[in-house]
């Protein structure tokens, strides 16, 4: 199920009605991660049924990340209920809700969200993945200090997953160092090679498809690796996703 949902998420810009229906069904999945992925993907579809389903999911308030993901999707669809939910969480007392609300509001330039992110990253350790995500948000608004801190987190002395996460955020903010490092790591045999290629995958970098295709031919591939390969092929714009989703 996780593989199919993540592949559909990567390909949500197809606006295929069948994909929307499948994603709405996954909003009721027992796995919070699947619900989050489905909500995020539905943010691409301005359809009344999807908005209604996302509102219902948000109002359940069963899981913080699920609630915030549904709220973010609604905000991206222009539904003010989503933005109100995020701002309420931002101004609330629950730290977990604040963090997810800040990440959901990434790039919106809300002063309270910016202040919270700066306080968080000032105290965060280099390997703190939430801190890296927040630095990426700040860098995307033109914050030069955040960009420099992200660059620092790509240094060779840090774990590969940290370097890849920082490089991916640099890529999103338009810093060429991000693509440069991800390309470098995607050519080094290791599990991190696949993670780097997945972070880089897009129509701009079709060379990643060969790596994903080779992996999918292997009978001994781990489920996590297969998931990354399916997602990567989708992000790279390959038509192979049609077969992989069935």
């Amino acid at each position: 199920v996780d593989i199919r949902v993540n592949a559909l998420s990567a390909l949500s810009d197809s606006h295929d009605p069948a994909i929307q229906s499948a994603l709405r069904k996954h909003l009721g999945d027992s796995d919070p991660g699947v619900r989050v992925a489905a909500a995020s993907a539905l943010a691409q579809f301005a359809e009344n049924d999807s908005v209604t389903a996302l509102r219902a999911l948000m109002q359940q308030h069963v899981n913080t990340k699920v609630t915030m993901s549904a709220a973010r999707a609604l905000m991206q669809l222009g539904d003010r209920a989503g933005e109100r939910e995020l701002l309420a969480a931002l101004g609330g007392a629950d730290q977990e809700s604040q963090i997810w609300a800040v990440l959901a509001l990434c790039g919106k330039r809300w002063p309270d969200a910016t202040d919270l992110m700066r306080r968080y990253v000032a105290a965060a350790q280099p390997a703190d993945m939430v801190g890296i995500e927040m630095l990426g948000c700040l860098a995307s608004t033109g914050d030069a200090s955040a960009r420099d801190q992200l660059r620092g987190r790509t240094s060779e002395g840090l774990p590969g997953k940290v370097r890849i996460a920082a490089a991916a955020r640099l890529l999103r903010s338009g810093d060429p160092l991000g693509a440069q490092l991800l390309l470098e790591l995607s050519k080094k045999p290791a599990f991190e090679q696949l993670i780097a290629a997945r972070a880089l995958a897009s129509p701009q970098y079709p060379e990643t498809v060969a790596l994903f295709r080779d992996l999918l031919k292997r009978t001994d591939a781990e489920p996590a690796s297969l998931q990354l390969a399916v997602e990567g092929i989708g992000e790279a714009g390959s038509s192979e996703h049609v077969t992989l989703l069935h």
Side-chain angles (χ1 to χ4, degrees), residues 205-217 233 236 240:
Y205 300 99
E207 59 265 45
T208 59
V209 173
L211 174 63
F212 301 135
R213 189 184 295 121
D214 289 343
L215 178 69
L216 290 170
K217 293 177 181 177
I233 283 179
E240 293 170 69

Side-chain angles (χ1 to χ4, degrees), residues 51-61:
V51 170
T52 299
L54 286 166
R55 282 180 183 168
L57 180 65
M58 182 182 74
Q59 292 166 0
Q60 290 174 10
H61 291 101

Side-chain angles (χ1 to χ4, degrees), residues 103-209:
L103 294 176
L105 290 164
C106 179
K108 288 294 183 179
R109 296 179 183 271
W110 288 99
D112 289 347
T114 300
D115 290 345
L116 194 154
M117 283 190 286
R118 286 180 175 154
R119 290 197 304 272
Y120 186 99
V121 300
Q125 295 296 314
D128 186 323
M129 302 302 279
V130 173
I132 290 174
E133 187 73 28
M134 289 185 179
L135 285 171
C137 289
L138 292 169
S140 69
T141 65
D143 188 317
S145 174
R147 183 200 61 212
D148 290 343
Q149 289 181 69
L150 274 178
R151 281 175 161 253
R153 283 162 170 76
T154 65
S155 62
E156 292 188 7
L158 291 169
K161 69 175 184 178
V162 173
R163 300 179 69 206
I164 291 170
R169 273 55 179 192
L170 285 170
L171 176 65
R172 292 180 196 172
S173 67
D175 190 317
L177 178 64
Q180 180 183 326
L181 179 60
L182 291 172
L183 273 172
E184 176 186 324
L185 293 175
S186 70
K187 296 174 182 177
K188 294 183 177 180
F191 180 69
E192 289 171 355
Q193 172 189 30
L194 187 59
I195 299 174
R198 171 63 185 88
L200 187 66
S202 74
Q204 288 179 282
Y205 300 99
E207 59 265 45
T208 59
V209 173

